[in-house]
Amino acid sequence: MFRSLLAADPQLPVDGWTVGLIIAGVIVAIIVVIFLIVAFSFLNLWLQCFLTRASVGLIDMVRMKFCKVDYAMVVRQKIAMVKAGVKISTQEMEAHYLSRGNVPKVAAAVIAAHKAGMDLPWRVAAAIDLAGRDVLDAVKTSVNPKVIDCPDPGKGRPTLDGMCKNGIQLKARARVTVRTKLDRLVGGATEETIIARVGEGIVKAIGSAEHHNEVLANPNLISQAVLHSSLDSQTAFEIVSIDVAEIDVGENIGAILQANQAKADLQVAQAQAEKRRALAVALEQEMRALVEENKAKVVLAEAEVPLAISFAFREGRLGVMDYYNLRNVQSDTEMRKSIAGVSGAGANERGDRTGA
């Protein structure tokens, strides 16, 4: 192709050096065009860095481009931090981006903390972000305290229920104002711990009150007692204040417990009485069986009398006249018993007629 072009102009000598120079010129032109394209793509950002003294060169931008880093975002965040007066290296921002961190949020948090006069290094902010916490929201909570409802309405429990010493139930709701402690955000307990501890403290404070009217007259006594209990230890927050938003009187738990205890005591007494009755019935049956046993013994003893008489006859200790006298005595005894029975029955009949 080059030879055809040179052949079109007969005045130009066609040799190997000329072809080599033309090829080299074309290659240089291509390289210059590529360099200009790359330079123009980074020139705007480089010019911003130069004017704002952000200290990000073209080589750094090209390196970030090859490392798959969003160099435009990193450069803009670096410019914002430099203009805010925060010293940060570009390598630290690149490292956080490559660690799947949220560079714009961390940068905004560090700038906000710096403007608020709080000490929040980039290293700490990056660690908080990589731990899954919202570092920007934490800084906002540090500057502007957050109010937490206790108990949490979303958990299904509307009030904190406690019972005073006089047995009256009180239902309370509180609002806890907290401020984030950035130095305890990594590894510190979350809002659920604050809600649980404050709820437990309020219930204990209600339970320590002698009378429910004391709590109703001055609800702040509960909040003051709970506030000085160091409930924010090992948490990511500092409790600023605890305010009892609402407190209502519930049921008379003491009376209900006493009534239930009385019912239980009654059931126990009835069970014990039934046990004693069953023992008495069993003892009565035993006594009846014992009477029947004694009667049987009497019958056995009476059955031995004729045997003794016959034995006396054989031994000669009892004569015939003695036997007849004994029979006469027995006959007289039976006659008297029969007369006494008839006369007793007649007397009863006469008494019944007189009463009628």
Side-chain angles (χ1 to χ4, degrees), residues 270-345:
Q270 290 176 347
Q272 292 178 352
E274 182 64 23
K275 180 180 179 180
R276 290 193 296 269
R277 189 191 67 81
L279 291 175
V281 171
L283 182 60
E284 181 184 2
Q285 296 298 327
E286 291 178 0
M287 292 297 102
R288 289 182 179 179
L290 184 60
V291 169
E292 295 298 328
E293 182 181 358
N294 292 331
K295 287 182 179 180
K297 290 180 179 180
V298 171
V299 172
L300 290 175
E302 291 178 350
E304 292 179 357
V305 173
L307 296 176
I309 293 173
S310 63
F311 180 78
F313 269 121
R314 286 194 300 269
E315 295 293 329
R317 297 177 182 178
L318 182 66
V320 176
M321 296 302 298
D322 295 331
Y323 174 73
Y324 278 111
N325 290 331
L326 178 62
R327 294 292 298 171
N328 290 330
V329 171
Q330 291 177 350
S331 299
D332 291 341
T333 303
E334 291 178 357
M335 181 180 64
R336 290 190 180 94
K337 287 182 179 180
S338 63
I339 293 173
V342 172
S343 62

Side-chain angles (χ1 to χ4, degrees), residues 78 81-90 92 110 114 121-122:
K78 178 68 178 294
M81 296 188 70
V82 170
K83 298 304 292 182
V86 180
K87 294 182 180 181
I88 181 67
S89 65
T90 308
E92 289 180 313
V110 173
H114 179 74
W122 176 270

Side-chain angles (χ1 to χ4, degrees), residues 60-123:
D60 294 330
M61 296 182 190
V62 173
R63 178 174 53 79
M64 285 188 285
K65 179 68 175 178
F66 284 111
C67 291
K68 305 298 182 181
V69 177
D70 190 355
Y71 64 92
M73 180 270 296
V74 173
V75 170
R76 286 193 293 269
Q77 298 301 325
K78 178 68 178 294
I79 293 173
M81 296 188 70
V82 170
K83 298 304 292 182
V86 180
K87 294 182 180 181
I88 181 67
S89 65
T90 308
Q91 287 74 18
E92 289 180 313
M93 302 179 71
E94 291 179 34
H96 189 62
Y97 179 86
L98 294 174
S99 299
R100 300 294 188 269
N102 194 330
V103 176
K105 183 169 288 187
V106 175
V110 173
I111 293 172
H114 179 74
K115 292 298 183 181
M118 295 184 295
D119 184 19
L120 181 61
W122 176 270
R123 177 180 56 81

Side-chain angles (χ1 to χ4, degrees), residues 100-315:
R100 300 294 188 269
N102 194 330
V103 176
K105 183 169 288 187
V106 175
V110 173
I111 293 172
H114 179 74
K115 292 298 183 181
M118 295 184 295
D119 184 19
L120 181 61
W122 176 270
R123 177 180 56 81
V124 177
I128 294 172
D129 181 62
L130 293 177
R133 298 288 184 86
D134 192 339
V135 61
L136 182 59
D137 182 71
V139 173
K140 291 180 180 179
T141 306
S142 298
V143 178
N144 185 19
K146 181 180 180 180
V147 178
I148 303 174
D149 291 328
C150 184
D152 188 358
K155 301 298 183 179
R157 186 177 181 182
T159 58
L160 299 169
D161 301 339
M163 186 178 68
C164 299
K165 291 184 178 181
N166 62 342
I168 302 299
Q169 180 189 39
L170 293 180
K171 299 182 178 181
R173 289 191 306 106
R175 308 193 74 183
V176 185
T177 304
V178 297
R179 180 187 292 114
T180 303
K181 299 290 291 183
L182 298 177
D183 56 340
R184 296 187 300 187
L185 192 59
V186 176
T190 57
E191 297 180 6
E192 287 77 7
T193 303
I194 294 291
I195 294 174
R197 290 181 180 179
V198 172
E200 182 180 0
I202 290 176
V203 172
K204 287 183 178 179
I206 292 175
S208 62
E210 295 291 339
H211 200 278
H212 67 282
N213 289 331
E214 298 177 4
V215 181
L216 295 176
N218 191 3
N220 291 328
L221 292 175
I222 298 177
S223 59
Q224 292 174 3
V226 177
L227 185 61
H228 296 88
S229 301
S230 300
L231 301 179
D232 54 359
S233 62
Q234 304 299 323
T235 64
F237 302 95
E238 175 189 1
I239 298 178
V240 179
S241 65
I242 300 175
D243 302 316
V244 179
E246 181 182 355
I247 186 166
D248 297 325
V249 179
E251 298 178 348
N252 192 339
I253 302 298
I256 295 175
L257 293 176
Q258 291 177 359
N260 293 335
Q261 186 63 40
K263 292 180 180 178
D265 294 341
L266 178 60
Q267 292 177 355
V268 172
Q270 290 176 347
Q272 292 178 352
E274 182 64 23
K275 180 180 179 180
R276 290 193 296 269
R277 189 191 67 81
L279 291 175
V281 171
L283 182 60
E284 181 184 2
Q285 296 298 327
E286 291 178 0
M287 292 297 102
R288 289 182 179 179
L290 184 60
V291 169
E292 295 298 328
E293 182 181 358
N294 292 331
K295 287 182 179 180
K297 290 180 179 180
V298 171
V299 172
L300 290 175
E302 291 178 350
E304 292 179 357
V305 173
L307 296 176
I309 293 173
S310 63
F311 180 78
F313 269 121
R314 286 194 300 269
E315 295 293 329

